[in-house]
Amino acid sequence: MRTTWDPRHLPDLSGRAYLVTGSNAGLGFFASEQLVGAGARVYMTGRHPNRLAAARAAVRRRVPDAAPGATETLVLDTSNLGSVRSAAASIRGKGGLDGVLLNAGIVHAPKERQMTVDGHELVLATNALGHFALAGELLRPLADRSGRMVWVGSMSTSLTPYDPVDPQLVEGYSAWRAYVQSKIATTALGFEADRRLRAAGVPVDSVVAHPGYSTSGRTPGIAGVNAPTRAKRFRDNLQAAIAQSKEHGAWSLVRALVDPDVEGGEFWGPRTVARGEPRRQRAARITLDAEVAARLWRAAEEATGVRWPFETVVRR
């Protein structure tokens, strides 16, 4: 493992192109900013055009030396499979991709079970199924540049290792269970993706990373992106010993995406698990279970209707 990695001074990424889901706020915004600051071109995606425009403007203010075309916004709602397909088709028309950060998600799940327009449980659809579909749809442009996909996990998967035998939570729904199960699914799918990519000989790495305990109250205020209340600042600052900003939480995600020493199938997170500079870590046992992962892969294929084009990508 490289010991000189400095998340504040990334290697030159000029000429590289990345897509980040959920770019309008939080981890996705700071990951986009860090990539642009290193010279990359970033497709910033999110559900709301106005929020995306505000986030793009914030990146341009905060990285004044970036090239005029360093960022491009694209509406993408990972809870809506039609939106995923449309966005993926647009990206495929723009050429190769060096990486995709599958970041968008619901952290504070609704108290009551909600369904998407496609008939799936909202949290699973947003955090896992939409990203499974998007990664499959973008496999060709990633393979064209021997790129990398990074799935965003959570340290919660070690705290409550639910076995998602009912991933849609038809029974026994709770907000916490919906969130944790969605992250177990996301992480397991990320590892399973790497196993299948390797087996098929597709030149794309699949990596999982998590941001530790990153809160908005510990994060710099940015107009249109992050504006926590005074009460939120106060509460989050009481947890300063274990919490960090979302700016720092993005460090692990970005390293997993761009560090050439990172390998497919690895798990990355903050040094102390909750906070700190990024380090290679051990994922929760359930997320490494190949049988659980295969079951989730079949469920994701059935739910999304997406079959990853392993063979056609290799033949190109």
Side-chain angles (χ1 to χ4, degrees):
M1 182 178 67
R2 176 185 294 177
T3 58
T4 59
W5 183 268
D6 184 350
R8 296 177 178 84
H9 297 92
L10 299 179
D12 183 14
L13 301 177
S14 299
R16 299 190 183 186
Y18 298 92
L19 181 144
V20 179
T21 66
S23 297
N24 59 282
L27 299 166
F29 170 82
F30 288 106
S32 298
E33 179 187 82
Q34 290 164 26
L35 293 168
V36 170
R41 175 176 175 80
V42 178
Y43 299 105
M44 302 177 64
T45 77
R47 292 183 299 167
H48 303 289
N50 291 343
R51 294 179 186 175
L52 274 174
R56 184 189 186 199
V59 169
R60 295 174 69 178
R61 289 195 308 271
R62 290 166 60 87
V63 191
D65 296 334
T71 55
E72 181 177 336
T73 59
L74 180 66
V75 173
L76 168 57
D77 180 353
T78 57
S79 74
N80 185 314
L81 293 174
S83 176
V84 170
R85 286 190 291 269
S86 177
S90 178
I91 292 296
R92 286 196 301 269
K94 299 177 184 294
L97 276 175
D98 294 281
V100 175
L101 178 56
L102 305 169
N103 161 78
I106 295 174
V107 176
H108 303 292
K111 293 182 179 180
E112 303 294 331
R113 185 173 183 265
Q114 296 182 17
M115 305 295 288
T116 69
V117 294
D118 300 301
H120 303 306
E121 190 275 314
L122 177 63
V123 183
L124 180 74
T126 304
N127 294 2
L129 296 180
H131 285 133
F132 174 87
L134 180 65
E137 295 280 0
L138 294 179
L139 198 56
R140 287 188 180 90
L142 283 169
D144 286 344
R145 293 197 182 180
S146 298
R148 186 179 295 171
M149 59 181 70
V150 174
W151 308 67
V152 178
S154 168
M155 62 183 189
S156 68
T157 58
S158 295
L159 299 174
T160 319
Y162 293 121
D163 185 350
V165 292
D166 176 16
Q168 299 271 4
L169 285 177
V170 176
E171 298 181 1
Y173 177 93
S174 73
W176 176 247
R177 184 159 199 146
Y179 173 70
V180 175
Q181 285 201 174
S182 76
K183 286 302 182 180
I184 290 172
T186 298
T187 304
L189 288 170
F191 293 142
E192 180 68 7
D194 196 71
R195 286 189 285 267
R196 296 188 182 220
L197 290 164
R198 288 172 182 264
V202 177
V204 174
D205 290 332
S206 179
V207 181
V208 183
H210 78 90
Y213 185 29
S214 303
T215 67
S216 60
R218 300 278 299 158
T219 303
I222 302 172
V225 175
N226 185 61
T229 64
R230 288 185 178 180
K232 175 66 173 172
R233 288 268 189 219
F234 178 77
R235 289 193 302 270
D236 286 359
N237 283 331
L238 291 176
Q239 305 176 86
I242 59 171
Q244 64 181 356
S245 69
K246 295 193 175 184
E247 183 176 22
H248 290 182
W251 285 352
S252 297
L253 281 54
V254 171
R255 182 170 188 179
L257 189 66
V258 307
D259 184 351
D261 290 344
V262 171
E263 296 182 357
E266 292 183 344
F267 184 61
W268 285 77
R271 179 174 52 82
T272 67
V273 180
R275 65 196 300 267
E277 297 186 355
R279 296 288 187 273
R280 188 183 294 114
Q281 297 183 351
R282 176 75 175 174
R285 180 179 301 177
I286 192 169
T287 66
L288 299 169
D289 188 312
E291 292 185 5
V292 171
R295 184 206 318 150
L296 286 166
W297 192 276
R298 291 192 297 271
E301 286 184 329
E302 181 178 349
T304 64
V306 174
R307 303 293 188 273
W308 285 27
F310 297 106
E311 294 183 359
T312 57
V313 168
V314 173
R315 285 198 298 266
R316 286 186 65 180

